[in-house]
Amino acid sequence: AKLVTLSRGALEQRRDFELTEEGSTPDSKGFVLKVHSNRVIGIKMQLHQRQAIITAFPIERSRYRLREGQPIVAVFEDVTEEWMSMALQQIFVRIAPITD
């Protein structure tokens, strides 16, 4: 719950961004990042052995691609809104429009 709250707080100033829960399991929370209501990428947040892990993945019906990248990991106790903002920014720089 803390990871979700922090991620929503990190995006609070971006009225054009929306995290919609999709694909959650008992072990992780899955979201689709929408910008101006357009599906962009998927983001998964989980807690594993006291580590917060944020991963991004491409999704169907998106007009965007996601360049390869490693999961973003931190000791759960060190996760703050500032850290979450930095983690999401690391993901956002990997997004690029699909060009045909």
Side-chain angles (χ1 to χ4, degrees):
K2 178 181 175 181
L3 295 176
V4 174
T5 300
L6 292 174
S7 65
R8 293 192 188 285
L11 296 176
E12 192 172 51
Q13 300 300 320
R14 298 295 311 257
R15 301 271 185 235
D16 50 339
F17 282 37
E18 176 186 355
L19 281 179
T20 303
E21 190 168 345
E22 187 175 303
S24 292
T25 69
D27 297 326
S28 66
K29 288 288 189 181
F31 296 91
V32 169
L33 174 69
K34 294 181 179 181
V35 178
H36 297 292
S37 299
N38 294 305
R39 295 166 56 89
V40 178
I41 61 166
I43 297 174
K44 183 170 85 169
M45 299 178 204
Q46 63 185 4
L47 184 60
H48 180 70
Q49 297 180 350
R50 302 302 303 162
Q51 289 191 321
I53 304 168
I54 312 291
T55 55
F57 54 93
I59 57 171
E60 292 181 23
R61 301 188 323 264
S62 177
R63 295 181 291 173
Y64 298 87
R65 63 183 176 85
L66 184 67
R67 290 187 300 276
E68 293 288 325
Q70 296 296 316
I72 302 164
V73 180
V75 175
F76 182 69
E77 289 78 16
D78 295 339
V79 174
T80 62
E81 191 169 314
E82 182 179 329
W83 179 89
M84 182 62 74
S85 181
M86 177 273 314
L88 292 174
Q89 186 60 37
Q90 286 181 16
I91 291 171
F92 296 163
V93 298
R94 296 174 34 214
I95 300 170
I98 294 174
T99 55
D100 293 326

XYZ file of all heavy atoms in Angstrom:
808
model
N 0.828 -1.195 0.000
C 0.000 0.000 0.000
C 0.874 1.261 0.000
O 0.534 2.241 -0.652
C -0.936 -0.005 1.196
N 2.012 1.204 0.723
C 2.894 2.370 0.773
C 3.445 2.696 -0.610
O 3.501 3.868 -0.998
C 4.044 2.124 1.746
C 5.034 3.276 1.819
C 6.176 2.982 2.765
C 7.213 4.091 2.725
N 8.342 3.820 3.614
N 3.821 1.681 -1.380
C 4.364 1.921 -2.721
C 3.331 2.583 -3.621
O 3.656 3.502 -4.382
C 4.848 0.614 -3.339
C 6.023 -0.076 -2.654
C 6.321 -1.408 -3.337
C 7.250 0.808 -2.641
N 2.099 2.136 -3.529
C 1.028 2.705 -4.354
C 0.786 4.154 -3.955
O 0.684 5.039 -4.811
C -0.258 1.868 -4.227
C -1.415 2.538 -4.957
C -0.030 0.461 -4.760
N 0.692 4.408 -2.662
C 0.473 5.769 -2.172
C 1.591 6.700 -2.627
O 1.332 7.817 -3.097
C 0.364 5.775 -0.635
O -0.736 4.941 -0.257
C 0.164 7.178 -0.099
N 2.830 6.246 -2.504
C 3.962 7.069 -2.921
C 3.967 7.316 -4.425
O 4.304 8.413 -4.875
C 5.279 6.439 -2.476
C 5.525 6.430 -0.968
C 6.790 5.640 -0.647
C 5.619 7.843 -0.415
N 3.606 6.316 -5.204
C 3.590 6.505 -6.663
C 2.517 7.499 -7.065
O 2.735 8.353 -7.923
C 3.407 5.172 -7.384
O 2.146 4.621 -7.089
N 1.363 7.415 -6.444
C 0.296 8.380 -6.742
C 0.713 9.786 -6.310
O 0.457 10.762 -7.010
C -1.008 7.961 -6.095
C -1.573 6.687 -6.710
C -3.000 6.421 -6.276
N -3.486 5.136 -6.691
C -3.858 4.799 -7.913
N -3.776 5.678 -8.877
N -4.307 3.585 -8.188
N 1.388 9.891 -5.162
C 1.887 11.185 -4.713
C 2.924 11.763 -5.655
O 2.944 12.966 -5.919
N 3.784 10.905 -6.186
C 4.827 11.364 -7.110
C 4.239 11.894 -8.413
O 4.841 12.742 -9.063
C 5.805 10.228 -7.400
N 3.058 11.413 -8.780
C 2.421 11.854 -10.023
C 1.341 12.904 -9.793
O 0.716 13.367 -10.744
C 1.794 10.648 -10.743
C 2.767 9.587 -11.224
C 2.016 8.410 -11.821
C 3.741 10.166 -12.235
N 1.145 13.290 -8.562
C 0.048 14.189 -8.204
C 0.050 15.496 -8.993
O -1.003 15.996 -9.379
C 0.121 14.483 -6.706
C -1.095 15.158 -6.153
C -1.020 15.235 -4.648
O 0.019 15.698 -4.118
O -1.985 14.820 -4.015
N 1.204 16.041 -9.254
C 1.305 17.315 -9.979
C 1.047 17.165 -11.475
O 0.845 18.149 -12.166
C 2.683 17.944 -9.754
C 2.988 18.240 -8.303
C 1.994 19.217 -7.693
O 1.590 20.183 -8.325
N 1.573 18.937 -6.468
N 1.085 15.931 -11.957
C 0.882 15.667 -13.390
C -0.563 15.258 -13.636
O -0.906 14.095 -13.627
C 1.832 14.557 -13.861
C 3.306 14.879 -13.735
C 3.742 16.040 -14.629
N 3.315 15.933 -15.994
C 4.090 15.569 -17.014
N 5.336 15.262 -16.791
N 3.598 15.518 -18.223
N -1.421 16.213 -13.832
C -2.849 15.934 -14.038
C -3.099 15.112 -15.308
O -4.121 14.467 -15.433
C -3.638 17.236 -14.102
C -3.497 18.074 -12.855
C -4.553 17.705 -11.856
N -4.470 18.602 -10.717
C -4.329 18.169 -9.486
N -4.263 16.903 -9.234
N -4.262 19.026 -8.495
N -2.154 15.137 -16.242
C -2.297 14.390 -17.481
C -1.895 12.923 -17.324
O -2.145 12.109 -18.201
C -1.483 15.038 -18.602
C -0.037 15.331 -18.213
O 0.254 15.418 -17.007
O 0.799 15.474 -19.110
N -1.268 12.557 -16.188
C -0.851 11.180 -15.916
C -1.871 10.510 -15.008
O -2.376 11.115 -14.074
C 0.502 11.156 -15.197
C 1.689 11.384 -16.099
C 1.650 12.267 -17.149
C 2.865 10.717 -15.860
C 2.753 12.473 -17.958
C 3.982 10.916 -16.656
C 3.916 11.803 -17.711
N -2.103 9.228 -15.274
C -3.026 8.455 -14.449
C -2.489 7.036 -14.303
O -2.076 6.418 -15.277
C -4.397 8.423 -15.132
C -5.419 7.589 -14.459
C -6.701 7.493 -15.275
O -6.833 8.154 -16.332
O -7.576 6.721 -14.850
N -2.490 6.510 -13.093
C -2.158 5.112 -12.856
C -3.458 4.364 -12.627
O -4.186 4.652 -11.678
C -1.262 4.950 -11.621
C 0.209 5.246 -11.784
C 0.934 5.066 -10.458
C 0.838 4.359 -12.836
N -3.746 3.409 -13.484
C -4.955 2.616 -13.379
C -4.564 1.196 -12.988
O -3.747 0.574 -13.676
C -5.707 2.591 -14.731
O -5.986 3.932 -15.115
C -6.986 1.801 -14.632
N -5.128 0.714 -11.887
C -4.773 -0.631 -11.439
C -5.263 -1.658 -12.451
O -6.400 -1.629 -12.892
C -5.370 -0.915 -10.062
C -4.833 -2.191 -9.470
C -5.161 -2.362 -7.996
O -5.560 -1.390 -7.345
O -5.002 -3.491 -7.515
N -4.359 -2.545 -12.819
C -4.670 -3.586 -13.807
C -3.625 -4.684 -13.669
O -2.432 -4.423 -13.700
C -4.607 -2.975 -15.218
C -5.063 -3.887 -16.312
C -5.099 -3.169 -17.653
O -5.797 -2.142 -17.769
O -4.405 -3.634 -18.573
N -4.062 -5.895 -13.500
C -3.138 -7.015 -13.449
C -2.487 -7.241 -12.104
O -1.391 -7.784 -12.028
N -3.138 -6.835 -11.017
C -2.568 -7.063 -9.687
C -2.735 -8.515 -9.273
O -3.655 -9.203 -9.714
C -3.249 -6.157 -8.661
O -2.921 -4.814 -8.902
N -1.807 -8.974 -8.452
C -1.861 -10.319 -7.872
C -1.689 -10.164 -6.359
O -1.393 -9.063 -5.886
C -0.724 -11.206 -8.423
O 0.527 -10.719 -7.922
C -0.709 -11.241 -9.944
N -1.821 -11.242 -5.604
C -1.579 -11.113 -4.164
C -0.156 -10.656 -3.822
O 0.079 -10.059 -2.784
C -1.823 -12.526 -3.628
C -2.759 -13.136 -4.615
C -2.358 -12.555 -5.948
N 0.811 -10.890 -4.719
C 2.204 -10.547 -4.455
C 2.661 -9.217 -5.050
O 3.735 -8.737 -4.727
C 3.124 -11.648 -4.978
C 2.898 -12.967 -4.264
O 2.587 -12.948 -3.056
O 3.016 -14.012 -4.923
N 1.877 -8.651 -5.971
C 2.310 -7.409 -6.609
C 1.104 -6.591 -7.050
O 0.008 -7.120 -7.214
C 3.195 -7.705 -7.825
O 2.457 -8.351 -8.839
N 1.336 -5.314 -7.238
C 0.321 -4.411 -7.759
C 0.715 -4.055 -9.182
O 1.843 -3.635 -9.450
C 0.231 -3.132 -6.926
C -0.384 -3.328 -5.572
C -1.862 -3.573 -5.723
C -2.556 -3.558 -4.390
N -3.963 -3.815 -4.518
N -0.218 -4.232 -10.093
C 0.036 -3.897 -11.482
C -0.769 -2.677 -11.882
O -1.914 -2.511 -11.460
N -0.171 -1.821 -12.708
C -0.823 -0.601 -13.152
C -0.550 -0.376 -14.625
O 0.442 -0.849 -15.169
C -0.284 0.616 -12.385
C -0.580 0.565 -10.924
C 0.318 -0.020 -10.054
C -1.758 1.088 -10.428
C 0.053 -0.077 -8.697
C -2.030 1.029 -9.068
C -1.124 0.443 -8.205
N -1.426 0.382 -15.234
C -1.192 0.901 -16.568
C -1.045 2.406 -16.410
O -1.860 3.059 -15.749
C -2.362 0.569 -17.523
C -2.226 1.331 -18.825
C -2.419 -0.918 -17.782
N 0.042 2.944 -16.961
C 0.235 4.386 -16.969
C -0.496 4.933 -18.181
O -0.257 4.497 -19.311
C 1.717 4.743 -17.050
C 2.004 6.237 -17.215
C 1.640 7.005 -15.947
C 3.450 6.463 -17.596
N -1.392 5.875 -17.927
C -2.095 6.549 -19.011
C -1.680 8.015 -19.007
O -1.552 8.629 -17.955
C -3.608 6.459 -18.814
C -4.152 5.056 -18.918
C -5.658 5.050 -18.732
C -6.234 3.662 -18.860
N -7.702 3.671 -18.697
N -1.454 8.533 -20.199
C -1.165 9.951 -20.370
C -2.223 10.489 -21.313
O -2.394 9.967 -22.420
C 0.259 10.180 -20.927
C 0.510 11.666 -21.130
C 1.305 9.574 -20.001
N -2.942 11.495 -20.860
C -4.087 12.025 -21.621
C -5.027 10.885 -22.021
O -5.477 10.799 -23.158
C -3.635 12.800 -22.853
C -2.828 14.010 -22.535
N -3.347 15.115 -21.906
C -1.520 14.277 -22.731
C -2.407 16.022 -21.757
N -1.275 15.544 -22.242
N -5.269 9.974 -21.094
C -6.172 8.822 -21.256
C -5.679 7.775 -22.250
O -6.396 6.836 -22.565
C -7.583 9.281 -21.650
O -8.113 10.113 -20.646
N -4.463 7.903 -22.776
C -3.893 6.908 -23.682
C -3.008 5.949 -22.904
O -2.138 6.383 -22.137
C -3.057 7.589 -24.775
C -3.901 8.418 -25.696
O -4.855 7.935 -26.271
N -3.557 9.685 -25.823
N -3.210 4.646 -23.122
C -2.392 3.622 -22.464
C -0.961 3.729 -22.974
O -0.726 3.716 -24.176
C -2.956 2.238 -22.769
C -4.348 2.018 -22.193
C -5.027 0.791 -22.787
N -4.268 -0.415 -22.626
C -4.328 -1.240 -21.583
N -5.145 -0.966 -20.592
N -3.610 -2.335 -21.528
N 0.007 3.802 -22.050
C 1.400 3.995 -22.448
C 2.235 2.762 -22.110
O 2.786 2.121 -23.005
C 1.988 5.275 -21.792
C 3.447 5.449 -22.162
C 1.174 6.499 -22.207
N 2.376 2.436 -20.811
C 3.169 1.280 -20.377
C 2.525 0.654 -19.143
O 1.664 1.245 -18.515
C 4.629 1.670 -20.013
C 4.652 2.667 -18.850
C 5.393 2.164 -21.220
C 6.002 2.849 -18.195
N 3.012 -0.532 -18.802
C 2.614 -1.171 -17.561
C 3.699 -0.976 -16.517
O 4.888 -0.879 -16.846
N 3.281 -0.869 -15.262
C 4.225 -0.727 -14.150
C 3.813 -1.712 -13.070
O 2.635 -1.785 -12.712
C 4.212 0.708 -13.582
C 4.668 1.698 -14.644
C 5.090 0.801 -12.330
C 4.557 3.146 -14.232
N 4.774 -2.484 -12.582
C 4.515 -3.432 -11.505
C 5.320 -3.026 -10.288
O 6.499 -2.702 -10.400
C 4.890 -4.849 -11.938
C 4.575 -5.901 -10.883
C 4.735 -7.300 -11.419
C 6.155 -7.746 -11.311
N 6.351 -9.180 -11.568
N 4.658 -3.026 -9.131
C 5.311 -2.706 -7.864
C 5.141 -3.891 -6.935
O 4.043 -4.432 -6.812
C 4.660 -1.482 -7.227
C 4.756 -0.249 -8.054
S 3.913 1.100 -7.251
C 3.565 2.106 -8.665
N 6.237 -4.279 -6.298
C 6.149 -5.389 -5.359
C 7.165 -5.231 -4.241
O 8.125 -4.487 -4.355
C 6.338 -6.721 -6.062
C 7.672 -6.921 -6.713
C 7.717 -8.227 -7.481
O 6.748 -8.944 -7.582
N 8.874 -8.534 -8.032
N 6.894 -5.930 -3.173
C 7.793 -5.988 -2.033
C 8.261 -7.427 -1.931
O 7.451 -8.346 -1.864
C 7.040 -5.565 -0.764
C 7.843 -5.478 0.513
C 8.972 -4.471 0.378
C 6.931 -5.104 1.667
N 9.583 -7.619 -1.968
C 10.147 -8.965 -1.917
C 11.357 -8.938 -0.988
O 12.327 -8.219 -1.251
C 10.545 -9.442 -3.309
C 11.119 -10.811 -3.344
N 10.363 -11.932 -3.118
C 12.385 -11.228 -3.563
C 11.152 -12.988 -3.199
N 12.378 -12.588 -3.473
N 11.306 -9.701 0.071
C 12.402 -9.782 1.039
C 12.876 -8.391 1.464
O 14.058 -8.077 1.417
C 13.554 -10.610 0.481
C 13.163 -12.045 0.225
C 14.298 -12.873 -0.333
O 15.342 -12.366 -0.717
N 14.086 -14.183 -0.382
N 11.922 -7.557 1.869
C 12.165 -6.199 2.372
C 12.764 -5.262 1.331
O 13.361 -4.242 1.671
C 13.046 -6.212 3.634
C 12.479 -7.013 4.778
C 11.121 -6.593 5.270
N 11.074 -5.186 5.696
C 9.955 -4.504 5.839
N 8.796 -5.064 5.602
N 9.978 -3.264 6.224
N 12.614 -5.604 0.047
C 13.048 -4.720 -1.020
C 11.841 -4.301 -1.852
O 11.008 -5.147 -2.210
C 14.067 -5.390 -1.928
C 15.413 -5.587 -1.273
C 16.448 -5.998 -2.290
O 16.181 -6.769 -3.193
N 17.653 -5.474 -2.127
N 11.774 -3.015 -2.154
C 10.769 -2.500 -3.076
C 11.312 -2.674 -4.484
O 12.462 -2.322 -4.747
C 10.495 -1.033 -2.791
N 10.495 -3.227 -5.368
C 10.929 -3.483 -6.741
C 9.894 -2.878 -7.691
O 8.702 -3.187 -7.600
C 11.059 -4.994 -7.011
C 12.015 -5.622 -6.004
C 11.509 -5.249 -8.454
C 11.983 -7.135 -5.997
N 10.361 -2.022 -8.580
C 9.510 -1.383 -9.573
C 9.997 -1.837 -10.943
O 11.178 -1.681 -11.274
C 9.595 0.161 -9.510
C 9.454 0.680 -8.083
C 8.601 0.797 -10.471
C 8.115 0.520 -7.464
N 9.098 -2.415 -11.731
C 9.449 -2.828 -13.088
C 8.439 -2.236 -14.068
O 7.304 -1.942 -13.697
C 9.464 -4.364 -13.244
O 8.205 -4.884 -12.821
C 10.562 -4.994 -12.430
N 8.869 -2.062 -15.290
C 8.003 -1.543 -16.343
C 7.987 -2.535 -17.486
O 8.951 -3.268 -17.698
C 8.511 -0.188 -16.823
N 6.873 -2.561 -18.200
C 6.752 -3.483 -19.327
C 5.825 -2.883 -20.371
O 4.957 -2.073 -20.061
C 6.245 -4.849 -18.846
C 4.966 -4.782 -18.050
C 3.739 -4.925 -18.668
C 5.004 -4.566 -16.679
C 2.565 -4.840 -17.936
C 3.834 -4.496 -15.940
C 2.603 -4.630 -16.573
N 6.034 -3.262 -21.639
C 5.144 -2.775 -22.699
C 3.764 -3.402 -22.555
O 3.614 -4.474 -21.958
C 5.832 -3.242 -23.984
C 6.774 -4.312 -23.578
C 7.088 -4.133 -22.128
N 2.760 -2.738 -23.076
C 1.390 -3.249 -22.996
C 0.736 -3.230 -24.375
O 1.150 -2.490 -25.270
C 0.533 -2.444 -22.005
C 0.514 -0.957 -22.370
C 1.012 -2.640 -20.587
C -0.468 -0.142 -21.578
N -0.297 -4.045 -24.499
C -1.065 -4.089 -25.744
C -1.801 -2.770 -25.940
O -2.127 -2.081 -24.991
C -2.088 -5.223 -25.689
C -1.481 -6.598 -25.686
C -2.550 -7.665 -25.652
O -3.697 -7.401 -26.060
O -2.234 -8.769 -25.203
N -2.066 -2.449 -27.175
C -2.819 -1.267 -27.572
C -2.109 0.045 -27.234
O -2.727 1.094 -27.182
C -4.225 -1.277 -26.965
C -5.048 -2.473 -27.365
C -6.501 -2.402 -26.925
N -6.779 -1.814 -25.635
C -6.952 -2.475 -24.496
N -6.840 -3.777 -24.478
N -7.247 -1.846 -23.389
N -0.820 -0.027 -26.987
C -0.065 1.190 -26.717
C 0.603 1.660 -27.994
O 1.049 0.853 -28.808
C 1.009 0.934 -25.652
O 1.768 2.110 -25.446
N 0.677 2.961 -28.145
C 1.391 3.541 -29.281
C 2.834 3.864 -28.905
O 3.513 4.611 -29.589
C 0.672 4.798 -29.752
C -0.717 4.487 -30.308
C -1.405 5.718 -30.788
N -1.726 6.557 -29.623
C -2.216 7.783 -29.702
N -2.432 8.341 -30.867
N -2.482 8.465 -28.612
N 3.277 3.275 -27.783
C 4.618 3.550 -27.278
C 5.381 2.255 -27.062
O 4.805 1.225 -26.776
C 4.554 4.328 -25.956
C 3.889 5.659 -26.133
C 2.510 5.776 -26.035
C 4.628 6.785 -26.449
C 1.883 6.994 -26.228
C 4.016 8.012 -26.639
C 2.634 8.107 -26.533
O 2.027 9.311 -26.735
N 6.687 2.345 -27.175
C 7.540 1.204 -26.872
C 8.340 1.544 -25.623
O 8.437 2.711 -25.227
C 8.458 0.863 -28.039
C 9.446 1.934 -28.398
C 10.277 1.533 -29.615
N 11.147 2.613 -30.010
C 12.343 2.849 -29.479
N 12.811 2.061 -28.547
N 13.071 3.870 -29.877
N 8.912 0.526 -25.036
C 9.693 0.700 -23.818
C 11.061 0.088 -24.045
O 11.178 -1.110 -24.309
C 8.977 0.015 -22.646
C 9.599 0.172 -21.279
C 9.523 1.630 -20.828
C 8.881 -0.718 -20.280
N 12.095 0.904 -23.980
C 13.451 0.383 -24.123
C 13.792 -0.504 -22.931
O 13.267 -0.339 -21.844
C 14.450 1.541 -24.243
C 14.331 2.279 -25.568
C 15.434 3.306 -25.763
N 15.455 4.339 -24.739
C 14.704 5.441 -24.755
N 13.854 5.645 -25.735
N 14.813 6.336 -23.796
N 14.696 -1.446 -23.147
C 15.117 -2.382 -22.087
C 15.651 -1.624 -20.886
O 16.248 -0.562 -21.024
C 16.218 -3.302 -22.626
C 15.761 -4.254 -23.702
C 14.896 -5.366 -23.164
O 15.135 -5.838 -22.035
O 13.968 -5.766 -23.888
N 15.471 -2.206 -19.734
C 15.998 -1.609 -18.515
C 15.844 -2.560 -17.344
O 14.998 -3.456 -17.371
N 16.645 -2.357 -16.342
C 16.613 -3.193 -15.144
C 15.512 -2.720 -14.201
O 15.152 -1.547 -14.206
C 17.961 -3.109 -14.418
C 19.114 -3.649 -15.214
C 18.949 -5.139 -15.466
O 18.597 -5.883 -14.571
N 19.194 -5.554 -16.694
N 14.992 -3.625 -13.379
C 14.062 -3.196 -12.322
C 14.761 -2.191 -11.408
O 15.983 -2.211 -11.256
C 13.760 -4.481 -11.559
C 14.102 -5.586 -12.499
C 15.216 -5.063 -13.366
N 13.990 -1.326 -10.819
C 14.518 -0.341 -9.883
C 14.232 -0.878 -8.487
O 13.090 -1.199 -8.156
C 13.877 1.025 -10.120
C 14.154 1.438 -11.572
C 14.421 2.047 -9.140
C 13.307 2.556 -12.072
N 15.283 -0.996 -7.687
C 15.190 -1.692 -6.401
C 15.751 -0.803 -5.290
O 16.741 -0.110 -5.490
C 15.986 -3.020 -6.453
C 15.913 -3.759 -5.137
C 15.500 -3.900 -7.601
N 15.089 -0.860 -4.130
C 15.590 -0.165 -2.936
C 15.137 -0.925 -1.707
O 14.126 -1.634 -1.739
C 15.070 1.263 -2.880
N 15.876 -0.779 -0.639
C 15.445 -1.306 0.649
C 14.153 -0.586 1.011
O 14.068 0.643 0.909
C 16.531 -1.075 1.727
C 16.040 -1.498 3.094
C 17.810 -1.798 1.345
N 13.126 -1.338 1.380
C 11.806 -0.777 1.601
C 11.824 0.412 2.561
O 11.146 1.414 2.332
C 10.856 -1.867 2.109
C 9.451 -1.379 2.309
C 8.663 -1.039 1.231
C 8.937 -1.255 3.586
C 7.365 -0.585 1.416
C 7.635 -0.806 3.780
C 6.850 -0.471 2.685
N 12.601 0.350 3.616
C 12.653 1.431 4.596
C 13.202 2.726 4.001
O 12.967 3.809 4.539
C 13.490 1.028 5.823
C 12.835 -0.016 6.703
C 12.940 -1.446 6.153
O 13.765 -1.712 5.248
O 12.162 -2.293 6.624
N 13.930 2.637 2.895
C 14.509 3.820 2.249
C 13.591 4.438 1.198
O 13.927 5.472 0.616
C 15.848 3.467 1.582
C 16.902 3.050 2.591
O 16.763 3.398 3.787
O 17.855 2.359 2.184
N 12.457 3.815 0.945
C 11.549 4.296 -0.095
C 10.755 5.493 0.435
O 10.058 5.400 1.434
C 10.608 3.175 -0.572
C 9.575 3.723 -1.540
C 11.410 2.056 -1.213
N 10.913 6.614 -0.268
C 10.199 7.851 0.044
C 9.518 8.345 -1.223
O 9.735 7.789 -2.310
C 11.178 8.940 0.523
O 12.093 9.217 -0.566
C 11.967 8.499 1.754
N 8.741 9.401 -1.120
C 8.121 9.961 -2.318
C 9.188 10.463 -3.285
O 9.044 10.327 -4.498
C 7.152 11.083 -1.952
C 6.295 11.498 -3.136
C 5.154 12.409 -2.753
O 4.454 12.122 -1.768
O 4.964 13.406 -3.463
N 10.263 11.020 -2.757
C 11.360 11.475 -3.617
C 11.978 10.296 -4.369
O 12.264 10.382 -5.562
C 12.420 12.178 -2.765
C 13.568 12.727 -3.569
C 14.593 13.436 -2.694
O 14.213 14.011 -1.662
O 15.782 13.398 -3.055
N 12.216 9.181 -3.667
C 12.767 7.995 -4.324
C 11.799 7.500 -5.395
O 12.222 7.158 -6.507
C 13.033 6.882 -3.311
C 13.581 5.654 -3.969
C 14.886 5.370 -4.208
C 12.839 4.555 -4.513
N 14.998 4.160 -4.867
C 13.753 3.646 -5.061
C 11.476 4.255 -4.592
C 13.353 2.463 -5.681
C 11.075 3.072 -5.209
C 12.026 2.193 -5.744
N 10.505 7.457 -5.079
C 9.515 6.983 -6.042
C 9.484 7.877 -7.269
O 9.416 7.397 -8.404
C 8.134 6.919 -5.397
C 7.055 6.398 -6.327
S 7.328 4.700 -6.914
C 6.917 3.791 -5.422
N 9.556 9.169 -7.067
C 9.585 10.104 -8.188
C 10.795 9.837 -9.082
O 10.691 9.810 -10.308
C 9.607 11.535 -7.662
O 9.615 12.446 -8.717
N 11.961 9.610 -8.464
C 13.181 9.304 -9.211
C 13.041 7.973 -9.958
O 13.423 7.855 -11.114
C 14.377 9.261 -8.248
C 15.714 8.894 -8.856
S 16.110 7.114 -8.975
C 15.685 6.444 -7.409
N 12.458 6.979 -9.298
C 12.288 5.666 -9.931
C 11.367 5.765 -11.144
O 11.661 5.213 -12.210
C 11.736 4.666 -8.918
N 10.257 6.470 -10.991
C 9.336 6.623 -12.116
C 9.995 7.408 -13.248
O 9.814 7.074 -14.425
C 8.042 7.293 -11.662
C 7.173 6.455 -10.726
C 5.991 7.269 -10.211
C 6.693 5.174 -11.413
N 10.776 8.412 -12.911
C 11.475 9.180 -13.950
C 12.444 8.287 -14.727
O 12.565 8.403 -15.935
C 12.210 10.373 -13.334
C 12.840 11.282 -14.359
C 11.832 11.872 -15.320
O 10.718 12.202 -14.960
N 12.221 11.997 -16.567
N 13.116 7.375 -14.035
C 14.014 6.435 -14.719
C 13.245 5.566 -15.706
O 13.787 5.170 -16.743
C 14.738 5.555 -13.700
C 15.821 6.261 -12.949
C 16.525 5.322 -11.972
O 16.417 4.111 -12.061
N 17.244 5.898 -11.031
N 12.024 5.251 -15.373
C 11.183 4.471 -16.291
C 10.701 5.346 -17.443
O 10.752 4.943 -18.605
C 9.997 3.852 -15.535
C 10.510 2.756 -14.594
C 8.954 3.305 -16.504
C 9.467 2.227 -13.630
N 10.250 6.551 -17.146
C 9.684 7.410 -18.172
C 10.679 7.740 -19.283
O 10.281 7.867 -20.435
C 9.151 8.711 -17.558
C 8.006 8.517 -16.599
C 7.666 9.521 -15.719
C 7.277 7.341 -16.551
C 6.617 9.372 -14.823
C 6.230 7.174 -15.654
C 5.887 8.191 -14.796
N 11.959 7.861 -18.960
C 12.937 8.196 -20.000
C 13.141 7.040 -20.973
O 13.722 7.224 -22.039
C 14.296 8.652 -19.418
C 14.134 9.910 -18.594
C 14.974 7.558 -18.633
N 12.645 5.861 -20.639
C 12.760 4.698 -21.530
C 11.597 4.590 -22.500
O 11.570 3.708 -23.355
C 12.846 3.417 -20.685
C 14.086 3.373 -19.816
C 14.125 2.196 -18.855
N 13.523 0.992 -19.371
C 12.859 0.106 -18.610
N 12.742 0.295 -17.305
N 12.341 -0.973 -19.142
N 10.608 5.468 -22.396
C 9.411 5.419 -23.245
C 9.657 6.221 -24.517
O 10.163 7.332 -24.475
C 8.195 5.996 -22.489
C 7.927 5.189 -21.224
C 6.977 6.039 -23.399
C 6.897 5.827 -20.306
N 9.248 5.639 -25.652
C 9.375 6.328 -26.932
C 8.186 5.953 -27.802
O 7.668 4.837 -27.717
C 10.673 5.947 -27.633
N 7.721 6.883 -28.631
C 6.603 6.550 -29.521
C 7.015 5.491 -30.550
O 8.177 5.434 -30.959
C 6.257 7.866 -30.192
C 7.404 8.773 -29.951
C 8.180 8.239 -28.798
N 6.055 4.685 -30.941
C 6.297 3.705 -32.000
C 6.165 4.428 -33.332
O 5.184 5.141 -33.572
C 5.274 2.550 -31.934
C 5.492 1.755 -30.652
C 5.373 1.659 -33.168
C 4.439 0.667 -30.410
N 7.181 4.289 -34.146
C 7.132 4.905 -35.470
C 7.130 3.789 -36.506
O 7.911 2.848 -36.419
C 8.325 5.841 -35.697
O 9.534 5.106 -35.476
C 8.280 7.013 -34.741
N 6.254 3.891 -37.446
C 6.159 2.853 -38.492
C 6.939 3.243 -39.713
O 7.187 4.299 -40.048
C 4.714 2.596 -38.874
C 3.947 1.960 -37.714
O 4.556 1.189 -36.961
O 2.752 2.258 -37.594
